[in-house]
Amino acid sequence: MQLSRGAIAGILSDGPPQVYTVQCAGVKKVMNPNGQPRYRLMLSDGEFQYVCMLASQLSDLVVNQLQEGCILQITEYICQFVQTKKYVQQIVVVVVIVLNCKVVQAECPKIGNPVMYTDPSVVAAPGTAQPSAAAPAPFAAPQHAAHPASAYGAPPATGPAPAYGAPPPTGSASAYGAPPSAGAAPAYGAPPASAAPAYGAPPASAAPAYGAPPQHAGTPYGVPAPVPSAYGAPPQGTGPAAAAPYAVPPSAGQQGPYGAPQSAGAYGVPPAATGPYGGHSGAAQYGAAVGGGPKAAYGASAYQQQGPKAEPANPYGGGGGGIPAAYPPTTKAYGNPSGPPQYRGQGAVARDAGPASIMPINSLNSYQNRWTIKARVTHKSDIRRYTNARGEGRFFSFDLLDAQGGEIRAVGWNDQCDKWYEAVDTGKVYLVSKASLRNKRGNFNQTRHQFEIHLENGSQVEPVQDEAEIPQLHFNFTSISQLEDVPAGQMVDVVGVVDSVQDWTSITKRDGGETQKRSMIIRDESGRSIEVTLWGAYALTPGDSLQATTAAGTHPVLAVKNARVGDFNGKTLSTVSSSTVLIDPPDVAEAARLRAWYDQGGCAQAAAALSKPSGGGGRADRRVTLSQIADEGLGLGGQPAWVQVVATVAFLRNENMYYPACPLPFNGKTCNKKLQDHTGDGNFYCERCGQNATPDWRYIVSMQVADHSGEIWVTAFNEAAPELIGVPAGELRQLCEDGNPRFAFLVQQACFKTYTMKLKVAEDTYNDETKIRISLVSATAPDYGAESRTLLDLIGKLQRGEQIFGPPVPAAGGPGALPGVARGGAPPAQQQGYGGGYGAPAPRPAIGGYGDGGAARGGYGAYGGTALANAGW
Amino acid sequence: MQGINISAPAPRVNFELLGQHIGKRVRLVGKVEGVQGNSLQLRAADDGIVTVALRGAAPSDLFIEVEGTVDSPTALREESSTGFGSNFDMANYNELCKLSHGEFRPLFV
């Protein structure tokens, strides 16, 4: 196998990008602070060898094929110039990152006798003597303090130069937007303040190292240890050309997604500004070529003909002071004719925000912290609030889609949320830059991108002229038959022709709120059909129109983006908050194709259903008798059970029927916490809100209710109690305080009335004691007609010898038609739905968004039990 | 003790049960289909039409319950009547009639 001659030099030089064949002379695994393993390779071209990092997405190769001795074809790579401190001086090292490679031969004896590569031409870098002169770039061959920074032209060793680019170690991480954890200085990928400069390694200390070369404390990473390499010297200031040598990431122009000049990515560079490392948003320097011509990049003065003085270091700490420089460095990376690069503490370093080079969303990566994307907002979420250990917070998110079809989610937290929520509109195109990339939080984010964007202080979201090239919505359809193999909980995009639509029904959510749902069946050319459930607002819009047109005979095409697969009754689909529903979308090719298929005969095709029929209707609470609650242990085991009973109020406790509630808003809702009246003088104080307030009296009535099977104690709150008593809590309290006999009258007349009640049975732990507490969620006058039908059902069952009042039996499928009973209308939208064969639990779409501490995770709980079925009880 | 007077029970019937109660007092709920002077046409729960000879004025509701004596398998002589409004589930009533004359007869007067 022939290795590419001069490959190592070629990679490290600024030559045009090429595919090089090299041999792997060694593989070493290093651990990222975030626990991900990264691999360090020693690559050799037979004559020279150099240490390179393998991009994290290629780590699998090592597991499978890549091993010492194998022959690799490097198809994409990028060089990063990392300023680091070796011993006491600042030096710059080149870190090579392999972005894409192929193993062409898995085993091969060592070819040649390669030595570590050093570029003689660099050694002499003028700058050597004075750091100043030097453009940062050069690789400072680490070793040797001997040449104080010099050789490398590294930023003058002068500065304390704490870590590279690290913003002054003083730790205001914020300056650079370094990862909050900042705290200590070196963060940002700067080698931990400790000795050994680790190049580009994300600070071994805190700061997550995103892909930076492993921090090896101590070992200069990848630096050809021994040889004082030349690179350091920035091209002797002759202008861009000169800068060439290192400064430019080899392909300058083309490197894959990353090294692309435009992107100014800093690979593995100490957290540069934004980006994963939280480096300064501004800094990018490396490579931020931004436009500056092909070679942009690193240090090379590629930009403008400025002498190499590049201040490469900028990002890192360039001058303690004003760092966060503009993002894409564009010009002037170095451009500091006035003298040695101004590092730290020397005044603001001008950073230009030159015309940003737009990179595709799909190439966003953690090595590159200076990027700009141009994309359309396809979805914007509402502001959500949450409370976690650190207090409360809020956020909103929006999904971006660019011309290449890449999608990513952007999130704005707290202040960013306030700042950007109004500015961002769905459907418009924006340029987003200077934000940080974080790994996607899988349980909240179902986009297909590995990362998500977090807006920060310096982030920019600029509206731009609409781009016709950027599609409005990008779908990745899965055919219905394929859904059979998709696990529940996964998000998919689907498109199908609507076969039938049902009425909408009301459902009680796990947290007590009500919402609407509407089911329909769609099918496609794969010959399968599936039930799609539209929740919330979607149930009405476009649910209503869908029902109307389908009933009229037209079968529209329905496209849903981000539907959640459920496995209830076969497979089903549900909308979630991040879903988008389109009817007959005009610019979606698959929709048009389906329309044609259907009209030309597809409608006649039989479709095997993926969703077993569940009899439609809503999922109603399970109807039980009072004794069943205790007998079956409902509510035990963590999950509250929601049931429906028909019972009579037997007794109302007439003390402590109400409490003073805090009326102030808290976290988006009313606080409602009990106010304290310590002083006894009528001044009420809320502990949660921390202030006095006039109380809003709310009911908390303890009552006993009974049916034929037994009696239980329930607590009725302000939702249900006024219905039973007839007056609001405040009024009742007034009557009581006044000694008005009407008080006793009202309490008494509430007794011995029968209601259909919805109960929530839940476990409550108080002082180490866990008990079942039942609360009355709502009470309505019974519908005698429906109730009679239910009773007739039961009678029929008893006549047949079947069990009633027992634990639910999973639906045998199909709505049961009870003998001899005409089922009057289907269970009405409200809370009815007595056992009649319907009401098998519907799928549970998770509505939740983000939110630490699990807040805002509105799920639709399963009502106490599985299928309701005919047996229904 | 003054209790309910059960000396003259009037079981609830539908159309087909009328034949079994000729000359006896019954109670029948029906939907008003036509009025001719003193005579009323009621549609019973099982769809049979019963002719009711009214004693006085009939209530103006859509559904009424007539208590009276059975003259023939299709006719009833009213003694009193009650209006049941316009919302009445005839199917339930029909089932009630069947059950109370069938298996569960001993439960009823």
Side-chain angles (χ1 to χ4, degrees), chain A residues 167 172-182 187-188 271 273-274 276-281 438 456:
Chain A
S172 29
S174 40
Y176 309 88
S181 49
Y188 312 101
T274 60
Y277 307 73
H280 341 245
S281 17
R438 303 287 162 94
E456 312 207 311

Side-chain angles (χ1 to χ4, degrees), chain A residues 146-158:
Chain A
H147 319 278
S150 55
Y152 316 111
T158 50

Side-chain angles (χ1 to χ4, degrees), chain B:
Chain B
M1 167 188 86
Q2 187 77 16
I4 301 171
N5 182 358
I6 57 166
S7 57
R12 291 197 157 87
V13 297
N14 55 12
F15 183 76
E16 64 179 345
L17 291 167
L18 281 178
Q20 301 169 24
H21 294 79
I22 304 213
K24 301 195 190 137
R25 292 188 73 229
V26 295
R27 228 186 285 255
L28 180 125
V29 176
K31 186 171 171 190
V32 177
E33 296 254 306
V35 185
Q36 295 95 29
N38 259 6
S39 168
L40 195 60
Q41 308 287 324
L42 281 185
R43 180 176 293 275
D46 51 352
D47 276 349
I49 304 285
V50 182
T51 309
V52 178
L54 292 170
R55 210 169 68 158
S60 55
D61 298 54
L62 185 59
F63 292 95
I64 63 172
E65 179 187 64
V66 177
E67 193 181 329
T69 314
V70 182
D71 280 344
S72 78
T74 58
L76 191 62
R77 194 171 358 113
E78 182 225 359
E79 281 167 34
S80 69
S81 59
T82 318
F84 271 16
S86 52
N87 193 5
F88 187 79
D89 192 327
M90 291 301 272
N92 287 346
Y93 182 80
N94 199 33
E95 290 301 310
L96 167 68
C97 292
K98 294 198 300 207
L99 288 172
S100 62
H101 284 89
E103 190 178 337
F104 303 105
R105 195 180 192 130
L107 293 176
F108 291 82
V109 171

Side-chain angles (χ1 to χ4, degrees), chain A residues 148-219:
Chain A
S150 55
Y152 316 111
T158 50
Y164 343 68
T170 44
S172 29
S174 40
Y176 309 88
S181 49
Y188 312 101
S194 55
Y199 308 94
S205 41
Y210 295 75
Q215 15 329 73
H216 281 267
T219 3

Side-chain angles (χ1 to χ4, degrees), chain A residues 481-494:
Chain A
S481 54
Q482 289 170 337
L483 288 176
E484 191 165 19
D485 303 318
V486 174
Q490 206 161 309
M491 311 297 280
V492 295
D493 298 344
V494 283

Side-chain angles (χ1 to χ4, degrees), chain A residues 639-689:
Chain A
Q639 277 276 50
W642 298 79
V643 296
Q644 194 163 46
V645 298
V646 172
T648 308
V649 176
F651 177 73
L652 282 175
R653 186 173 282 150
N654 59 4
E655 292 129 10
N656 279 39
M657 298 173 77
Y658 34 73
Y659 73 100
C662 173
L664 303 172
F666 182 79
N667 228 6
K669 299 190 292 199
T670 324
C671 173
N672 276 342
K673 196 165 161 61
K674 180 174 173 182
L675 297 172
Q676 303 298 322
D677 181 15
H678 296 301
T679 54
D681 64 351
N683 276 332
F684 291 91
Y685 177 77
C686 176
E687 286 177 358
R688 176 151 64 178
C689 301

